[in-house]
Amino acid sequence: EVQLVESGGGLVQPGGSLRLSCAASGFTFSSYEMNWVRQAPGKGLEWVSYISSSGSTIYYADSVKGRFTISRDNAKNSLYLQMNSLRAEDTAVYYCARNRYCSGGSCYGMDVWGQGTTVTVSS
Amino acid sequence: SYVLTQPPSVSVAPGQTARITCGGNNIGSKSVHWYQQKPGQAPVLVVYDDSDRPSGIPERFSGSNSGNTATLTISRVEAGDEADYYCQVWDSSSDHEVFGGGTKLTVL
C-alpha cells in the first residue's frame, strides 16, 4: 500500500524549532518529487516547500523562506522539514504530499498525502 | 505571484449538478488539479490535468479549463460529496505550487 506517515509535530514556543518527518512506503520514494503543505486551523491549504527526487532542487513559499529547510534521505525513504524561528502563524497541520509527476519545469498534481501532523506555536 | 480565486461556498440539492469555479489569469494555459477534503481528513486528488480522474474516483467528477476559469463539475451530487474543494496549479514563473482558497460544498 502506498503510504506517507508524518511525525514530529507538537507544541513549541515562539522562536523555537521543530523537525518534521515523513516516512514513505509502498512506492519507489527516490523517483518522486515531494512537498510539504500546511493548513492553519479553519483555513485553506498552503503550499510550503518542494524538493526534487534527487534533492538537488528546492523551493519555498515566501512565508517560510529562510526559516524552514526541506530535505530527504532516499536511502531511508524519508522526507524532512526543519522549522526554525517558529511563529504563531506557523500553527497548522502539516502534510507531506507526493507529486504525481514533474516534467519540463512543471509539476502535475499531488496524488498521495499523509494524514498530517499538528504543529502548535504558542507560549 | 499567481492567484487562484474560488467561491467560498456552493450549495446544491442531492441529485443535482454542482459546479465549482477556479479563476486565474489565463488559467487555461495551465494544468489544473482538484482536491476534495472532508473534515479531519487529508486532501484527496479527484481531478488532475484539468479533466482526468485518478482510479477510484467516480465518473460523476469531471473538470474543464479554458480562458480564465477552470471548473470542477460534480454530477448527481450525493450527501457524501459534502466537503471542501481546492483547485491547484504549478506556477512556473515562481516555481511555486498554488492553491485556491477553497470552496465548501453543501448538499442541501
Side-chain angles (χ1 to χ4, degrees):
Chain A
E1 179 191 6
V2 173
Q3 196 172 10
L4 297 170
V5 179
E6 301 94 337
S7 60
L11 174 64
V12 61
Q13 292 188 339
S17 298
L18 213 53
R19 188 194 196 209
L20 306 183
S21 299
C22 171
S25 60
F27 65 99
T28 305
F29 179 71
S30 60
S31 296
Y32 287 88
E33 292 77 12
M34 299 293 298
N35 299 269
W36 286 99
V37 177
R38 68 184 181 183
Q39 186 170 36
K43 302 298 185 182
L45 301 174
E46 179 189 14
W47 171 77
V48 172
S49 184
Y50 157 98
I51 187 168
S52 62
S53 56
S54 66
S56 61
T57 300
I58 287 172
Y59 304 121
Y60 297 100
D62 293 346
S63 57
V64 306
K65 198 169 187 178
R67 301 187 299 121
F68 290 11
T69 302
I70 191 172
S71 62
R72 65 190 296 161
D73 186 335
N74 286 342
K76 294 184 177 180
N77 292 332
S78 292
L79 175 72
Y80 305 101
L81 186 68
Q82 177 66 42
M83 303 185 296
N84 297 332
S85 303
L86 283 162
R87 306 166 180 167
E89 54 264 37
D90 296 318
T91 295
V93 175
Y94 285 74
Y95 297 100
C96 61
R98 184 182 85 170
N99 274 121
R100 201 169 57 83
Y101 83 99
C102 300
S103 176
S106 296
C107 292
Y108 297 88
M110 300 178 216
D111 62 346
V112 181
W113 295 66
Q115 86 289 350
T117 188
T118 300
V119 173
T120 302
V121 184
S122 175
S123 54
Chain B
S1 60
Y2 194 76
V3 176
L4 296 174
T5 301
Q6 297 182 236
S9 63
V10 167
S11 299
V12 64
Q16 300 303 303
T17 297
R19 294 179 178 85
I20 298 172
T21 59
C22 176
N25 184 35
N26 197 26
I27 194 174
S29 66
K30 301 180 182 297
S31 287
V32 180
H33 320 290
W34 292 90
Y35 303 86
Q36 176 193 69
Q37 186 181 34
K38 296 181 178 180
Q41 298 184 19
V44 173
L45 181 67
V46 294
V47 167
Y48 65 90
D49 292 352
D50 299 338
S51 58
D52 291 332
R53 278 176 289 104
S55 60
I57 300 300
E59 292 184 6
R60 301 184 297 103
F61 288 81
S62 63
S64 62
N65 184 20
S66 178
N68 294 318
T69 304
T71 303
L72 174 69
T73 301
I74 309 171
S75 304
R76 302 180 300 282
V77 166
E78 303 173 357
D81 297 331
E82 191 162 280
D84 294 325
Y85 291 85
Y86 296 89
C87 58
Q88 179 255 316
V89 301
W90 173 269
D91 178 26
S92 56
S93 66
S94 62
D95 291 324
H96 282 24
E97 303 274 14
V98 179
F99 287 95
T103 298
K104 181 176 180 59
L105 176 67
T106 299
V107 181
L108 300 171

